[in-house]
Amino acid sequence: MTDIIQLLPDHVANQIAAGEVVQRPASVVKELLENAIDAGADDIKLIIKEAGKTLVQVIDNGKGMSVTDARLSFERHATSKIKSAEDLFQLNTKGFRGEALASIAAIAHVELKTKRPDDELGTAIEIEGSVVKSQEVTVTPTGTSVAVKNLFFNIPARRNFLKSDTVELRHITDEFHRVALAHPGIAFAFYHNGSELFNVPNENYRQRVVHIFGNKTNERLVPVEEDTEVLKISGFVGKPEYSKKTRSEQFFFVNQRFIKSPYLNHAISAAFEGLLKDGYHASYFLNLTVDPKTIDINIHPTKTEIKFDDEHTLYAILRSAVKHSLGQFNIAPVLDFEQQSSFDTPYSYKDKAGKVPTIEVDRSFNPFADEGSSSGSSSSSKSTSTTTSFKTAPAANWESLYVGLESKSNTKHDNDVELSFEKEYKTETIFSDASVETSKTTFQLQQKYIVSTLKSGMLIVDQNRAHQRVLYESFLKHITIKEATSQQLLFPLQLSFTPNEMNIISGLKEDLEHTGFVFSNVKEDTITITGVPVGVPESEVSIILEQLISDVENDVPDASFSAADLLAKSMAKSLAIKNGQTLNNTEQEHLVNSLFACKEPNISPANRPTFITMSTDDIEKKFM
């Protein structure tokens, strides 16, 4: 038999390696930004076109590369960060695998321009699918510029799996946030399709957080500082009242590297215990500094997960530090054994001596004496006789008061006017009590399901999904015909969002207005709302918009994808009756009738069943 094991060609091996390194345009952004940081740059520009599908370019003013280094940087396993296996446990840099540029060059068109500060001319290299097309001397500024064009041009299947531009841009923005927050001492600029999304200068950590997430974020931050032999913590947590339903503002940085750690996230949740509403998550921007020897960052291909030597100690320190900060800034309730100021002596009585209260008693007072006893004897006797005659007369002659009363009332005179009074009739119900009871055709089960009877058996409706379907078709109709009714707010409502969220709202502004929202002012990071759709509580407006932004960022487009459809789904999900809400009999019947008046009553907007039926035969089988 012939041998069947063979070595893979380099271009195939590079494409396989690229599948681990480059999953989407955001992966390219991450690798190029980290290389720019490792090059010592303090000014980095990120340029994106069509959410990275057409162009991803990173320009830095770092130390640049020589001609030889520029060529070797595209070879597999070529790196300047490590020289021996021991270096893997003392890493203070970002890119060290030596596969990033080689993997990117295998699946895209790459143009590299670089120059060192001491060189007069730089180097330009063009590579397509791991094949070097040209390498020549060029005039270029000090630093490095890497342009990645036509990502996945030679792997059409991978390109077809990319999401919409909105979703891919969100992933790129997330990577930009992670890198920019980890390095506040570096100036970053982010451009998409020619428009500037972010431009943050060299600044401190608080200013960097505010620049990225909006000016309103400043008042929401609570500083956290802790320095121990094992762990150093610095950064901020968000106040509980500004918590969100999404985890979009949760950042852990270990030695200036973004990580995801459910275990450490649980420590934050434990510190916020009792301060957050159900379904809401705290915001945090925390920098953790540990000894590089105590962590292993090679357990995940994207290096977003880290293995700690002593996780339990880190958990305890982190939880205590956050809880201490919340209590120190009067965010969380704490026990205070000091005397309250309200118990202090008033200022006007501060220097006065206390007086012993005195009691005066009238020893001659007799509660059983007559009223006139203090007067003369004559007045006393007169008072006594008067009182006696007044009190005894009615008691003795009370029957004489009613003598002849009946005969007088029955005697009719000519001048008397006969009065007639309208008789009070008892209002009776149209239906008897028995018929009222039998008219109740629905009842609620566990505040979640509505049960009704059918000719063939029983109907069970999920109240949340059913209401979502009713609201979805109603909102979609209003958006389509562009005739929605608004209710004006007594006081305008101002809401703050990040620049990326404002871009999403601006794109949906017209559709939101068709549903009934009225915007009076839209600024860089705030919007003013003066009207909302009928039936939408003012307290739900911010929740609706946050849910809408989250849905737009995470939506997977399909053939029927449209902004109007997504908006109707998001608003229906936010405003629908929740499970656990009690409905009276009229509301139950109205919901069931409204559901079956819809065009597609069988499924919710998320394509889940809204009701099920059980026939009499199915019920009888349960008793066999």
Side-chain angles (χ1 to χ4, degrees):
M1 296 179 62
T2 59
D3 298 331
I4 59 175
I5 297 178
Q6 58 184 352
L7 293 176
L8 287 173
D10 288 341
H11 69 279
V12 177
N14 286 339
Q15 287 188 4
I16 294 174
E20 297 181 359
V21 178
V22 183
Q23 300 174 354
R24 56 186 354 132
S27 305
V28 178
V29 171
K30 175 179 183 294
E31 298 292 345
L32 296 184
L33 288 178
E34 290 181 348
N35 284 345
I37 293 170
D38 287 340
D42 58 7
D43 190 355
I44 301 174
K45 292 181 176 62
L46 172 62
I47 302 172
I48 302 294
K49 286 186 179 179
E50 294 183 8
K53 300 174 184 176
T54 302
L55 173 67
V56 175
Q57 185 175 10
V58 173
I59 305 172
D60 66 70
N61 62 346
K63 56 189 176 183
M65 291 181 285
S66 65
V67 177
T68 305
D69 289 344
R71 180 64 186 85
L72 282 176
S73 64
F74 290 97
E75 297 295 329
R76 291 189 66 196
H77 310 304
T79 178
S80 62
K81 314 297 170 53
I82 56 176
K83 293 181 175 59
S84 62
E86 286 75 15
D87 294 338
L88 290 172
F89 301 97
Q90 296 180 355
L91 286 171
N92 293 305
T93 57
K94 303 295 186 298
F96 58 88
R97 293 169 298 182
E99 295 182 9
L101 289 179
S103 299
I104 295 171
I107 55 174
H109 298 166
V110 180
E111 294 181 4
L112 170 68
K113 293 181 180 180
T114 182
K115 186 179 83 72
R116 294 181 298 183
D118 298 335
D119 296 338
E120 294 182 357
L121 296 174
T123 304
I125 298 177
E126 292 186 9
I127 298 180
E128 295 181 7
S130 297
V131 179
V132 179
K133 294 296 182 180
S134 66
Q135 179 174 348
E136 57 188 14
V137 177
T138 186
V139 177
T140 183
T142 299
T144 303
S145 170
V146 183
V148 179
K149 303 177 181 179
N150 304 322
L151 194 64
F152 300 125
F153 80 99
N154 53 354
I155 312 178
R158 289 290 299 273
R159 189 176 181 88
N160 292 336
F161 273 96
L162 294 178
K163 310 300 182 185
S164 66
D165 287 358
T166 304
V167 176
E168 295 299 338
L169 180 61
R170 180 185 67 85
H171 286 287
I172 293 174
T173 305
D174 288 345
E175 292 294 346
F176 178 82
H177 287 172
R178 294 166 183 173
V179 176
L181 286 172
H183 302 86
I186 300 176
F188 289 91
F190 182 10
Y191 303 91
H192 180 247
N193 289 341
S195 61
E196 181 182 274
L197 298 185
F198 294 94
N199 193 344
V200 290
N202 180 352
E203 55 197 348
N204 60 39
Y205 191 55
R206 189 184 193 105
Q207 292 171 333
R208 178 57 54 89
V209 174
V210 172
H211 262 130
I212 291 179
F213 293 100
N215 296 329
K216 294 291 184 180
T217 311
N218 187 36
E219 61 188 30
R220 307 175 184 178
L221 300 179
V222 178
V224 179
E225 295 288 341
E226 190 68 41
D227 193 353
T228 66
E229 296 180 356
V230 180
L231 172 67
K232 180 180 179 182
I233 305 173
S234 64
F236 305 93
V237 295
K239 295 181 180 179
E241 59 265 31
Y242 298 108
S243 58
K244 292 190 173 184
K245 281 193 170 184
T246 62
R247 300 180 182 270
S248 59
E249 295 184 1
Q250 295 186 343
F251 295 89
F252 274 126
F253 301 99
V254 176
N255 295 353
Q256 293 187 315
R257 182 190 298 273
F258 172 79
I259 66 159
K260 297 177 181 178
S261 175
Y263 187 70
L264 296 182
N265 180 72
H266 189 273
I268 304 293
S269 301
F272 276 88
E273 186 178 3
L275 300 176
L276 300 176
K277 294 183 289 185
D278 291 338
Y280 284 77
H281 307 284
S283 301
Y284 53 81
F285 314 89
L286 296 176
N287 295 298
L288 311 181
T289 304
V290 298
D291 187 351
K293 297 180 181 179
T294 63
I295 59 175
D296 184 3
I297 60 179
N298 293 299
I299 64 173
H300 194 274
T302 61
K303 306 297 179 283
T304 55
E305 295 181 13
I306 290 181
K307 174 64 178 174
F308 297 94
D309 284 353
D310 190 0
E311 285 187 329
H312 299 289
T313 302
L314 300 184
Y315 182 99
I317 296 174
L318 182 60
R319 178 178 177 273
S320 300
V322 174
K323 199 154 193 172
H324 174 71
S325 294
L326 293 175
Q328 182 181 6
F329 291 93
N330 295 326
I331 304 300
V334 294
L335 292 176
D336 187 4
F337 296 99
E338 297 181 0
Q339 182 178 347
Q340 296 184 12
S341 59
S342 59
F343 295 156
D344 295 340
T345 304
Y347 184 78
S348 57
Y349 293 89
K350 187 174 183 181
D351 298 328
K352 294 184 179 180
K355 295 182 179 180
V356 180
T358 58
I359 302 175
E360 297 181 358
V361 180
D362 184 6
R363 299 185 181 279
S364 62
F365 174 73
N366 183 7
F368 302 101
D370 295 335
E371 293 181 2
S373 60
S374 60
S375 305
S377 58
S378 60
S379 61
S380 175
S381 60
K382 182 179 179 180
S383 173
T384 303
S385 62
T386 304
T387 304
T388 303
S389 62
F390 176 76
K391 290 181 179 180
T392 56
N397 302 323
W398 65 272
E399 293 180 353
S400 62
L401 297 175
Y402 300 94
V403 176
L405 183 62
E406 182 178 356
S407 60
K408 290 181 180 179
S409 61
N410 294 333
T411 304
K412 183 177 180 181
H413 299 282
D414 297 337
N415 296 330
D416 291 345
V417 178
E418 185 175 358
L419 300 177
S420 62
F421 299 93
E422 183 179 358
K423 182 179 180 181
E424 294 183 359
Y425 294 95
K426 182 180 179 182
T427 304
E428 297 182 359
T429 58
I430 299 176
F431 304 100
S432 63
D433 293 341
S435 63
V436 172
E437 291 296 328
T438 56
S439 67
K440 294 182 178 180
T441 59
T442 63
F443 70 91
Q444 196 175 20
L445 178 64
Q446 296 183 348
Q447 285 83 39
K448 185 176 182 181
Y449 303 104
I450 298 175
V451 182
S452 181
T453 58
L454 296 173
K455 290 183 179 179
S456 60
M458 183 170 58
L459 173 73
I460 303 176
V461 179
D462 187 306
Q463 66 184 33
N464 176 258
R465 295 180 184 177
H467 199 211
Q468 281 191 42
R469 164 54 63 177
V470 174
L471 292 177
Y472 167 71
E473 293 197 2
S474 175
F475 286 132
L476 196 60
K477 177 182 177 182
H478 290 157
I479 297 173
T480 304
I481 64 177
K482 301 180 181 180
E483 293 180 2
T485 306
S486 300
Q487 57 182 6
Q488 297 299 310
L489 298 177
L490 184 61
F491 300 102
L493 185 64
Q494 281 194 347
L495 300 176
S496 300
F497 297 97
T498 64
N500 187 43
E501 293 171 342
M502 287 299 299
N503 289 333
I504 295 175
I505 292 177
S506 299
L508 297 173
K509 181 174 176 290
E510 184 177 354
D511 288 330
L512 284 169
E513 289 173 343
H514 293 330
T515 62
F517 283 96
V518 179
F519 299 92
S520 64
N521 195 3
V522 179
K523 297 182 179 179
E524 293 183 357
D525 57 353
T526 59
I527 60 173
T528 304
I529 300 175
T530 57
V532 296
V534 175
V536 176
E538 184 179 345
S539 58
E540 294 285 333
V541 174
S542 61
I543 299 175
I544 291 173
L545 293 181
E546 287 180 6
Q547 182 67 52
L548 175 62
I549 292 169
S550 176
D551 289 344
V552 170
E553 290 179 337
N554 296 286
D555 187 75
V556 179
D558 52 25
S560 61
F561 172 77
S562 68
D565 182 73
L566 183 60
L567 176 60
K569 285 181 180 178
S570 180
M571 291 183 61
K573 182 165 54 176
S574 300
L575 296 173
I577 296 170
K578 302 298 186 290
N579 292 330
Q581 183 173 341
T582 304
L583 303 178
N584 59 37
N585 188 252
T586 304
E587 293 170 336
Q588 296 169 21
E589 293 182 357
H590 178 71
L591 180 57
V592 173
N593 295 334
S594 300
L595 173 65
F596 288 100
C598 294
K599 294 181 179 179
E600 295 184 13
N602 297 330
I603 57 174
S604 70
N607 294 326
R608 295 183 177 180
T610 57
F611 66 88
I612 60 171
T613 57
M614 292 186 66
S615 64
T616 307
D617 295 337
D618 294 334
I619 298 175
E620 289 178 351
K621 290 179 182 178
K622 300 293 182 182
F623 291 95
M624 290 183 178

